Amino acid sequence: MNSDFEQSALSAALADATVVHEILQAMPGQPYVSHFRKLISSLQARNIEEAVRIRGSVPFAGMGGFGEFLEATPAIQARYKSLVEQIGKLKVNSRYGLVPNGPR
């Protein structure tokens, strides 16, 4: 496993998750805050498999209110997309020892 890659990807994912969490926390009803709180905790603990599992439990962009919120808030949309991509790269690195390239 490439520890430089892992550290960089974990830091980027944690930064993205933190921004998304803070904005969601400021919204009425605090939608999906618990998902992102758990995701932040797993990233801080460097528990990549748990982060992958939690990522899968956060609704995709096309699912109801969360998707509408993403469409209406470009800052969240970009951070959420980056977060999902970083966790995907961490998953590939963790499971297969590969350092994934950027998006094509």
Side-chain angles (χ1 to χ4, degrees):
M1 186 175 312
N2 185 321
S3 61
D4 290 339
F5 166 79
E6 181 182 304
Q7 183 57 45
S8 175
L10 279 168
S11 294
L14 185 57
D16 290 335
T18 300
V19 169
V20 172
H21 177 263
E22 288 172 355
I23 293 172
L24 291 174
Q25 198 168 19
M27 292 181 62
Q30 299 182 340
Y32 309 106
V33 167
S34 65
H35 288 288
F36 288 93
R37 188 176 300 126
K38 291 174 190 173
L39 185 55
I40 289 168
S41 294
S42 68
L43 292 168
Q44 288 171 332
R46 303 176 63 90
N47 187 339
I48 294 166
E49 288 302 318
E50 182 69 7
V52 169
R53 188 192 65 72
I54 294 167
R55 177 194 65 170
S57 72
V58 175
F60 290 107
M63 297 176 70
F66 188 70
E68 292 169 5
F69 176 72
L70 283 174
E71 290 174 6
T73 314
I76 295 288
Q77 187 179 42
R79 288 292 195 149
Y80 181 72
K81 180 181 178 192
S82 175
L83 171 64
V84 169
E85 289 173 355
Q86 290 300 326
I87 293 175
K89 290 176 182 181
L90 284 163
K91 174 183 172 182
V92 169
N93 181 256
S94 172
R95 292 184 182 175
Y96 309 109
L98 302 173
V99 177
N101 293 329
R104 296 179 189 224

